[in-house]
């Protein structure tokens, strides 16, 4: 599975690879969105480097979803995404630990992980 963030890219084939990549991103000191692409074309994007994370999931046909935390929350979380800082609605926020479990599930299956609640984008 390909993992990318900013101008960096690596291959993630195991849980150990996943955790090593997450640690590399955390050491940058900037909360960052990481893109994981499975062989089937599905993509999971997760925020790394804060207590809370946001996730998106997209399929090759354009179907996409975002994580759903608490719909009542207002405000934004900031993550570096493709070398710029972007705002993500806090209603999408889930604990970072849950996002990492979702990444493990995605690594194992290449499918939308059940570790977090999802809401369709369209």
């Amino acid at each position: 599975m390909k993992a990318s963030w900013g101008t960096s890219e690596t291959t993630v084939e195991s849980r150990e690879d996943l955790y090593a990549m997450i640690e590399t991103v955390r050491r940058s000191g900037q909360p960052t969105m990481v893109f994981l692409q499975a062989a089937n074309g599905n993509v999971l994007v997760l925020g790394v480097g804060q207590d809370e994370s946001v996730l998106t999931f997209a399929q090759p046909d354009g179907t996409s979803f975002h994580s759903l935390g608490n719909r009542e929350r207002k405000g934004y979380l900031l993550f570096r995404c493709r070398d710029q800082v972007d705002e993500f609605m806090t209603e999408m926020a889930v604990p970072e630990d849950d996002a990492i479990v979702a990444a493990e599930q995605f690594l194992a299956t290449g499918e939308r992980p059940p570790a977090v609640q999802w809401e369709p984008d369209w």
Side-chain angles (χ1 to χ4, degrees), residues 81-95:
C81 184
R82 295 187 172 133
D83 285 333
Q84 70 178 33
V85 176
D86 284 340
E87 296 177 335
F88 296 86
M89 297 178 294
T90 54
E91 70 184 34
M92 297 171 58
V94 299

Side-chain angles (χ1 to χ4, degrees), residues 21-87:
M21 180 270 305
I22 289 169
E23 277 309 307
T24 297
V25 173
R26 284 181 176 156
R27 280 195 304 272
S28 76
Q30 296 182 322
T32 300
M33 298 300 285
V34 174
F35 292 70
L36 300 174
Q37 184 170 3
N40 63 9
N42 289 341
V43 176
L44 179 74
V45 185
L46 70 148
V48 172
Q50 294 194 65
D51 291 339
E52 294 183 302
S53 179
V54 296
L55 300 95
T56 61
F57 176 83
Q59 297 170 296
D61 68 2
T63 304
S64 62
F65 301 84
H66 60 268
S67 55
L68 184 60
N70 178 349
R71 288 179 202 246
E72 303 302 315
R73 287 186 68 188
K74 304 294 181 213
Y76 297 93
L77 294 173
L78 301 176
F79 287 93
R80 182 166 280 294
C81 184
R82 295 187 172 133
D83 285 333
Q84 70 178 33
V85 176
D86 284 340
E87 296 177 335

Side-chain angles (χ1 to χ4, degrees), residues 90-121:
T90 54
E91 70 184 34
M92 297 171 58
V94 299
E96 186 190 49
D97 289 345
D98 292 351
I100 292 171
V101 169
E104 290 175 355
Q105 292 172 339
F106 183 71
L107 177 64
T109 67
E111 299 299 330
R112 185 165 34 112
V116 298
Q117 185 177 352
W118 296 98
E119 182 173 71
D121 287 330

